[in-house]
Amino acid sequence: MQTVWQQRLSEQHKHRPNDNRSPWQVDRSRIIHAAAFRRLQAKTQIMSIGVNDFYRTRLTHSLEVSQIGSGLLRHLRIANPEFEHFPSTSLIETLCLAHDIGHPPFGHGGETALNYLMRDYGGFEGNAQTLRIVSKLEPYSKGYGMNLTRRTLLGFVKYPAIIDQLWFNKPSHDPSQRFIKANDWLPAKGVYHCDSDVFNWIIEPFTDSDKALLQQHQVIDQYRCKTLFKSLDCAIMELADDIAYAVHDLEDAIATDTLTLADWTLYAEPKLIALSSPWLKQNLTRLTQRLFSQDEAYRKDAIGELVNLFIVNGALNIQNPDFESPLLRYKVTLDNEFADILSILKIFVFERLIREPKMQQIEFSGQNLLIDLFSALASDPMRLLPYTTQEQYQNTNTTNEKMRVLADYLSGMTDEYARRTHKRLFASE
């Protein structure tokens, strides 16, 4: 019997004789076969595509997040055998596989550029774009995207409020200036106003009090607010993503000599030692030796140990007792000792890898490339856009909708396709 959480935006009737898949397995299949998922193989994770053939793309990162997510779910089920509201493994794999499909080319540089370009038209944010792709854009169904189940869509909503409610003060920018300051245009994280119909449908089964509590947010800086809560399924996916980001991206950086033992000793070890963690007191020296060993097998073993450490220290906890639905009342967290370790690894990767000047120069290049492309396409869309996108552009009624079509088109590009398009439009030869 179909539950409210297995319902889809459109009750299509596909000819699939003897199909014995669960609704969650169907959702996973639709993700795997989607063009937006395939494009992740050519989108930057942290290091730019094409510089080295070893490290992770957004696709391989997503596959690893899926593996970690299913392991985390397995651990939680064993630790909480009486809890009846865990998602299925297929559902968690679906969320983890597709959690990044809304991210544009050139990583966060591309996201910042599109948010600046869409500043007067509803903003741009990678997680909001993911929901938009799976619920509207992917051409599996007409107008309903992949037409996924309601519970799957709920899991994609990391920040459950409309961006217009969260972005309360936008910075000024002189259009005569050639470049933007990236930190001024970091996006507010939420759902696009143009997709509020989908968002309202997703949360419809909740009580009014749960809906209101779910959308609560707080000010985080002079420009933005941030939501406070998310669903249980989303929390599992997010922790798996954090583990993959902190551990596997660290592995890439070490393997390519981007981060060295000297970097680790100077910037990470002192913070780890300061934690007074019993696990680190016993294992930090051995962990450091294996992470930076010339023998790749030792490094791989250390990476696997870290992933396992975080998985087996995940725990089911109350998110807020005022929630009535168990899908919202509970969250997944790490024990404080291991949450602190994970946080230091994430900060180390961010500060010494992502914020490294050469990496930021690559992001800057991609950021400005997208600004060039947007400006060119917006100047004469019915001349420069592909035929299918021209049709979408023509079928919109407002400036906001037309600009959203441009953002959808550009954000769906891979890094290399964006560069080739830019070359066609701007190269002198």
Side-chain angles (χ1 to χ4, degrees):
M1 179 178 175
Q2 187 185 58
T3 70
V4 67
W5 293 108
Q6 293 174 336
Q7 291 174 354
R8 302 179 187 275
L9 280 161
S10 173
E11 292 305 317
Q12 297 171 304
H13 299 285
K14 299 289 185 179
H15 185 62
R16 304 288 188 270
N18 303 314
D19 188 348
N20 59 8
R21 293 174 298 172
S22 72
W24 325 118
Q25 291 170 327
V26 170
D27 284 357
R28 183 181 58 190
S29 297
R30 292 181 183 182
I31 291 293
I32 290 173
H33 293 288
F37 179 68
R38 291 195 298 274
R39 291 190 190 104
L40 293 175
Q41 66 187 306
K43 287 191 176 185
T44 295
Q45 169 59 14
I46 287 185
M47 300 181 183
S48 185
I49 299 294
V51 178
N52 188 300
D53 62 2
F54 168 80
Y55 49 72
R56 291 159 172 85
T57 65
R58 288 229 178 240
L59 179 62
T60 57
H61 164 75
S62 298
L63 292 171
E64 288 172 333
V65 174
S66 177
Q67 180 71 14
I68 294 170
S70 61
L72 183 58
L73 177 61
R74 186 167 55 249
H75 163 73
L76 292 168
R77 282 176 173 160
I78 293 171
N80 304 274
E82 74 293 342
F83 189 73
E84 300 177 350
H85 304 285
F86 283 123
S88 72
T89 300
S90 296
L91 195 159
I92 283 299
E93 289 177 345
T94 299
L95 298 180
C96 293
L97 288 170
H99 77 283
D100 266 353
I101 63 172
H103 281 255
F106 311 118
H108 290 294
E111 185 180 43
T112 298
L114 287 172
N115 189 51
Y116 162 72
L117 294 162
M118 293 295 291
R119 62 194 180 278
D120 296 324
Y121 313 111
F124 181 90
E125 197 271 322
N127 298 287
Q129 193 68 18
T130 293
L131 181 65
R132 182 167 174 80
I133 288 170
V134 299
S135 64
K136 289 188 175 181
L137 299 183
E138 185 68 24
Y140 178 83
S141 65
K142 193 168 182 63
Y144 299 100
M146 300 180 199
N147 198 30
L148 305 178
T149 59
R150 193 191 310 257
R151 181 162 178 177
T152 298
L153 291 179
L154 176 67
F156 283 122
V157 183
K158 288 180 69 172
Y159 306 99
I162 304 301
I163 284 177
D164 299 51
Q165 302 168 359
L166 306 173
W167 202 9
F168 61 88
N169 184 29
K170 299 172 187 176
S172 59
H173 175 70
D174 182 354
S176 65
Q177 291 183 349
R178 176 71 178 87
F179 306 113
I180 64 171
K181 186 176 180 181
N183 281 348
D184 285 349
W185 296 100
L186 297 175
K189 296 178 181 294
V191 176
Y192 298 140
H193 183 269
C194 59
D195 297 327
S196 58
D197 55 337
V198 173
F199 178 61
N200 290 333
W201 180 83
I202 292 170
I203 64 174
E204 184 181 326
F206 295 130
T207 64
D208 289 344
S209 61
D210 272 6
K211 292 176 188 177
L213 184 57
L214 180 63
Q215 296 176 73
Q216 284 190 1
H217 47 268
Q218 64 184 16
V219 175
I220 57 171
D221 60 26
Q222 62 179 318
Y223 302 123
R224 293 168 290 266
C225 297
K226 186 175 182 179
T227 55
L228 300 175
F229 306 112
K230 54 180 60 70
S231 69
L232 170 63
D233 303 352
C234 186
I236 296 173
M237 176 268 285
E238 186 174 46
L239 179 54
D241 187 26
D242 283 349
I243 294 170
Y245 166 79
V247 180
H248 289 305
D249 291 342
L250 173 64
E251 179 187 10
D252 276 359
I254 294 172
T256 56
D257 293 323
T258 309
L259 289 177
T260 65
L261 177 58
D263 294 319
W264 175 266
T265 304
L266 187 59
Y267 298 105
E269 267 196 340
K271 293 181 180 179
L272 292 170
I273 292 171
L275 291 179
S276 298
S277 158
W279 187 88
L280 285 174
K281 284 183 178 179
Q282 185 174 351
N283 295 283
L284 181 56
T285 300
R286 181 176 58 88
L287 177 68
T288 299
Q289 291 172 345
R290 289 183 301 149
L291 279 176
F292 293 92
S293 171
Q294 295 302 307
D295 188 330
E296 185 179 350
Y298 284 118
R299 184 174 64 244
K300 296 296 293 185
D301 184 58
I303 292 297
E305 182 178 356
L306 282 172
V307 171
N308 178 74
L309 179 74
F310 296 128
I311 286 176
V312 300
N313 284 284
L316 184 71
N317 289 298
I318 297 290
Q319 173 169 237
N320 188 309
D322 293 334
F323 279 118
E324 298 175 45
S325 171
L327 297 185
L328 303 179
R329 187 182 307 126
Y330 295 92
K331 63 179 179 179
V332 174
T333 58
L334 283 176
D335 176 86
N336 287 340
E337 177 187 359
F338 300 101
D340 289 342
I341 296 173
L342 182 63
S343 177
I344 287 174
L345 293 181
K346 286 174 61 180
I347 291 170
F348 178 59
V349 169
F350 178 77
E351 291 182 348
R352 306 309 304 172
L353 179 60
I354 296 176
R355 297 299 299 175
E356 195 275 330
K358 289 181 181 178
M359 300 294 292
Q360 285 301 301
Q361 290 169 10
I362 294 171
E363 269 201 13
F364 181 83
S365 170
Q367 167 187 307
N368 291 296
L369 185 151
L370 282 183
I371 291 175
D372 284 346
L373 286 179
F374 191 98
S375 300
L377 296 175
S379 72
D380 200 348
M382 299 309 295
R383 176 189 179 194
L384 300 176
L385 288 171
Y387 286 128
T388 54
T389 313
Q390 285 183 27
E391 183 179 354
Q392 295 168 13
Y393 190 90
Q394 274 188 313
N395 290 337
T396 58
N397 299 314
T398 68
T399 301
N400 279 25
E401 291 172 335
K402 292 180 183 301
M403 294 301 103
R404 184 61 63 187
V405 170
L406 296 183
D408 289 341
Y409 175 60
L410 287 174
S411 68
M413 290 181 172
T414 63
D415 296 31
E416 181 56 32
Y417 184 77
R419 291 196 185 280
R420 290 202 307 269
T421 304
H422 190 271
K423 185 176 181 179
R424 282 198 304 271
L425 292 174
F426 294 101
S428 58
E429 295 181 2

